[in-house]
Amino acid sequence: MGTTTTKNDTEKTEAVTDDTAADPKPAAASEEQATAPEDRAPDTGAEETGQEEPHAADAPAEQAAPARRSIAAGAGAVAGAALGLASLTGTWAGTILAERQTVLGQIKLQTGKTQDQIAAVYTTPWHTTALVNGIFALLALVATGVVLARRPQAAWTRAVAWGGFALAVIGLIIAGGMYLDLFAAAPKVGAGSS
């Protein structure tokens, strides 16, 4: 009986030893899988100090500043081009002010308080339109000049700004010519007219 027990104990010990010796890799592999590098979070050192990396927080602010500048430059270029075009074609404000001057001239004619009837009805409204168009041309020059002075810019922004600048210069020349009666002299009543 003692022999049988010894044999059974020996067989159990050998079986346990054989199981352990036959399969050492799976146990080691399971330990490596538990601590695999891809499963672990990268060690940045931020967790140890409890702080985030400074460049991660500053990155959106640094990227937003050039974007804001680019948007402002584009808006300025488009606004300058629109003002330059308005100085050439005329504006609602110029039309209203010219009509107002016409009405004032007609009132003066009816009350007999004016010496120069043509100036009251024609020349003053003409000059008012030229003055308003000239103001729009100057605003366009300022807007496009500010855009062109800043660098660097997108190619389309510079192209639109230069277009607006050219329109503003032409509009300013035309407005000056209208105001000074260079393109067409003011009508005059002949000497024989009563």
Side-chain angles (χ1 to χ4, degrees), residues 128-169:
T128 303
T129 302
L131 186 64
V132 171
N133 289 351
I135 290 170
F136 272 84
L138 286 174
L139 290 174
L141 284 175
V142 170
T144 55
V146 168
V147 171
L148 290 171
R150 295 188 177 190
R151 292 183 180 148
Q153 295 169 351
W156 74 268
T157 302
R158 292 189 68 77
V160 172
W162 276 114
F165 189 83
L167 289 172
V169 169

Side-chain angles (χ1 to χ4, degrees), residues 13-179:
T13 307
E14 286 175 1
V16 170
T17 308
D18 287 343
D19 289 342
T20 308
D23 199 20
K25 291 181 184 177
S30 63
E31 289 175 13
E32 288 176 11
Q33 287 176 353
T35 59
E38 58 265 15
D39 293 342
R40 289 179 292 188
D43 187 18
T44 58
E47 291 136 5
E48 295 173 4
T49 59
Q51 298 176 353
E52 293 184 10
E53 292 183 22
H55 64 81
D58 296 340
E62 291 172 2
Q63 291 172 354
R68 271 188 248 127
R69 275 187 247 124
S70 178
I71 290 170
V78 171
L83 288 169
L85 185 63
S87 72
L88 286 175
T89 60
T91 62
W92 175 82
T95 303
I96 294 298
L97 289 174
E99 288 176 359
R100 180 180 183 277
Q101 290 299 326
T102 302
V103 170
L104 289 175
Q106 290 173 349
I107 291 171
K108 287 181 182 178
L109 285 175
Q110 290 175 357
T111 57
K113 292 183 179 179
T114 183
Q115 298 294 322
D116 191 356
Q117 298 175 354
I118 294 173
V121 177
Y122 173 77
T123 308
T124 304
W126 177 260
H127 289 170
T128 303
T129 302
L131 186 64
V132 171
N133 289 351
I135 290 170
F136 272 84
L138 286 174
L139 290 174
L141 284 175
V142 170
T144 55
V146 168
V147 171
L148 290 171
R150 295 188 177 190
R151 292 183 180 148
Q153 295 169 351
W156 74 268
T157 302
R158 292 189 68 77
V160 172
W162 276 114
F165 189 83
L167 289 172
V169 169
I170 294 168
L172 193 59
I173 291 169
I174 291 173
M178 284 174 63
Y179 193 81

